[in-house]
Amino acid sequence: MPSALVTGATGFVGSHLVDHLLETGYRVIVTVRPTSLPRWLEGKPVERIAAEGPLPPTDVVFHVAGVIRAGRWEAYLEGNRDLAVRIFERARTGRFVHVSSLAVQGPLEACDETTPCAPVSLYGKSKWEGEQEIWKRRDRTPVTVIRPPVVYGARDSGLIDLYRAVAQGVRPVIGGPKRISLIHVRDLVEGMVKAAEAPAGAGEVFYLSSPEAVEVSDVLRQ
């Protein structure tokens, strides 16, 4: 039975990743902080360990944990760079899968894995710094980087405020039509596991997204 350790397992993407790993026959270990709300882990055959404790040996580590919103640059760095380094340094694994973000790319209409990164937001910059720190260490453990776009699906709370505003008749339009990349969370986690399992995925970056970008206004009409 292959084994996987997941950070951020109590969150939106992490909890779906845990479900998918269990469905595909993995032994799953998750890191849990005292402040975590493990409602999506209840009743599932996962092993819980303290987030700051020793990490057991596993076939793969999925580092999903991070900070999406913060009031200070230092808080972004702590959540998206420094935490990733601490997990990597403690990991005993055959593959380290680092979940980054499309935000590291910057505001481009189109890009692929060869496009130079030029993030503009504090979030994107901190994610980019996290990536670079992990890449520096790839000679010690094979690394795979995943850069998701906007992720949607069950358990998502990130877009609730926008959906509520739309339900009340508010449809924000800033600067004309906007196109965004999307991926359903189940497609994302399936792609993450496939990238982790593929020998050719070591040392690579992957953008995982739906085939076509969509208009924000089309999403809001759903």
Side-chain angles (χ1 to χ4, degrees), residues 80-93:
N80 295 328
R81 182 193 66 188
D82 301 343
L83 176 60
V85 171
R86 290 200 303 273
I87 295 295
F88 188 95
E89 294 292 349
R90 292 156 51 209
R92 292 179 287 166
T93 187

Side-chain angles (χ1 to χ4, degrees), residues 24-209:
T24 51
Y26 274 78
R27 169 190 168 218
V28 179
I29 303 155
V30 301
T31 60
V32 180
R33 297 172 298 168
T35 56
S36 298
L37 299 175
R39 54 179 171 166
W40 293 315
L41 300 178
E42 298 298 343
K44 296 175 181 176
V46 299
E47 302 173 37
R48 304 185 194 184
I49 62 173
E52 297 302 328
L55 302 183
T58 56
D59 293 304
V60 58
V61 168
F62 292 93
H63 179 55
V64 184
V67 172
I68 298 175
R69 299 179 186 86
R72 300 177 299 110
W73 169 238
E74 292 77 14
Y76 277 113
L77 287 180
E78 165 61 25
N80 295 328
R81 182 193 66 188
D82 301 343
L83 176 60
V85 171
R86 290 200 303 273
I87 295 295
F88 188 95
E89 294 292 349
R90 292 156 51 209
R92 292 179 287 166
T93 187
R95 180 78 65 90
F96 190 91
V97 178
H98 179 70
V99 180
S100 184
S101 170
L102 177 64
V104 303
Q105 185 56 251
L108 297 179
E109 288 294 327
C111 63
D112 61 22
E113 288 81 357
T114 65
T115 308
C117 291
V120 295
S121 67
L122 294 181
Y123 170 70
K125 290 177 180 178
S126 65
K127 279 292 194 179
W128 178 230
E129 292 220 9
E131 276 195 35
Q132 293 179 89
E133 289 299 322
I134 296 304
W135 281 125
K136 291 177 185 177
R137 295 162 169 79
R138 67 183 181 274
D139 60 331
R140 290 151 50 186
T141 301
V143 170
T144 300
V145 171
I146 306 294
R147 295 176 181 164
V150 175
V151 186
Y152 69 97
R155 308 174 191 166
D156 175 26
S157 60
L159 297 177
I160 283 179
D161 290 341
L162 178 59
Y163 293 149
R164 285 173 177 166
V166 171
Q168 295 170 5
V170 178
R171 293 180 178 268
V173 178
I174 303 173
K178 301 291 183 183
R179 295 180 66 80
I180 58 173
S181 295
L182 293 170
I183 189 167
H184 191 274
V185 65
R186 294 294 291 180
D187 293 331
L188 171 61
V189 299
E190 181 180 347
M192 289 166 57
V193 174
K194 287 183 176 180
E197 293 176 339
E204 297 293 337
V205 175
F206 296 100
Y207 286 109
L208 300 182
S209 179

